[in-house]
Amino acid sequence: GAVVSQHPSWVICKSGTSVKIECRSLDFQATTMFWYRQFPKQSLMLMATSNEGSKATYEQGVEKDKFLINHASLTLSTLTVTSAHPEDSSFYICSARLAGEQYFGPGTRLTVT
Amino acid sequence: AQSVTQPDIHITVSEGASLELRCNYSYGATPYLFWYVQSPGQGLQLLLKYFSGDTLVQGIKGFEAEFKRSQSSFNLRKPSVHWSDAAEYFCAVVASYDKVIFGPGTSLSVIP
């Protein structure tokens, strides 16, 4: 149990376009999900907290207009990278909380050309 | 502010040797602590966790970790390393509002 999936697992997009990444809790409901970003050979940095039915809470330094988060249901949160640029290329990982424990998705590799 | 440090950026050990990865945290309350492993290009796999109780925690793949409140440490150990253990290891603490704060990671290389 407690499986979190992400789609797509990898995506390549052109600079200036937008890309949407989905995070789903497959067998449980999650009122709160988290989005992380990981640059090559670096640690995971929390970007934002996604709350079902309300606005996301962004960490300091994360552009909320660039990284749009929507948590429309108890099993789905989406991260949309708007007007993507090469510097947005990264590994994006989501997690969902259940009974005090975090369950992580497998990650999405974004490459912006 | 809550934080996690992992003093060793990279460690190399011989296969069959013992391993200890260091982790220190900064958190005012009783911490929830985790160790994760990540293979290249892959997601995170939970090795073990500490919430309360016995300070010596057993995890998967033969790993264990010991919580020492007096030293604010949660070091990961394995008595005999296998070549497949080569990966990136992250220590993490659950901070306020359930946010997980990760350490910078320790890269483990294993010499056959």
Side-chain angles (χ1 to χ4, degrees), chain A residues 34 36 38 41-44 46 49 57 59 91 93 97 99-107 109, chain B residues 32 34 36 38 40-44 46 49 51 88 90 94 97-105:
Chain A
F34 302 89
Y36 297 83
Q38 183 182 32
K41 299 191 181 301
Q42 294 188 27
S43 188
L44 287 79
L46 179 65
T49 303
T57 304
E59 295 301 300
F91 193 54
I93 300 177
R97 185 185 66 184
E101 192 164 330
Q102 299 272 350
Y103 294 89
F104 288 86
R109 173 78 55 195
Chain B
Y32 289 176
F34 303 83
Y36 291 92
Q38 184 181 38
Q42 301 297 311
L44 298 173
L46 177 66
K49 61 189 176 187
F51 284 175
E88 190 81 18
F90 294 99
V94 176
Y97 302 106
D98 287 335
K99 298 178 182 179
V100 178
I101 307 299
F102 287 88

Side-chain angles (χ1 to χ4, degrees), chain A residues 31-95:
Chain A
T31 57
T32 303
M33 294 183 175
F34 302 89
W35 286 96
Y36 297 83
R37 178 170 53 185
Q38 183 182 32
F39 292 110
K41 299 191 181 301
Q42 294 188 27
S43 188
L44 287 79
M45 299 300 296
L46 179 65
M47 298 175 66
T49 303
S50 172
N51 302 296
E52 189 268 335
S54 65
K55 292 183 178 181
T57 304
Y58 291 82
E59 295 301 300
Q60 190 173 11
V62 177
E63 301 174 60
K64 60 183 179 182
D65 294 331
K66 181 173 185 60
F67 298 99
L68 301 180
I69 292 174
N70 184 19
H71 195 152
S73 78
L74 289 172
T75 59
L76 174 64
S77 175
T78 60
L79 169 67
T80 301
V81 183
T82 62
S83 187
H85 291 282
E87 57 265 30
D88 298 323
S89 298
S90 188
F91 193 54
Y92 292 88
I93 300 177
C94 71
S95 71

Side-chain angles (χ1 to χ4, degrees), chain B residues 22-44:
Chain B
R22 296 182 292 166
C23 171
N24 293 96
Y25 66 91
S26 172
Y27 188 59
T30 300
Y32 289 176
L33 295 160
F34 303 83
W35 274 99
Y36 291 92
V37 61
Q38 184 181 38
S39 297
Q42 301 297 311
L44 298 173

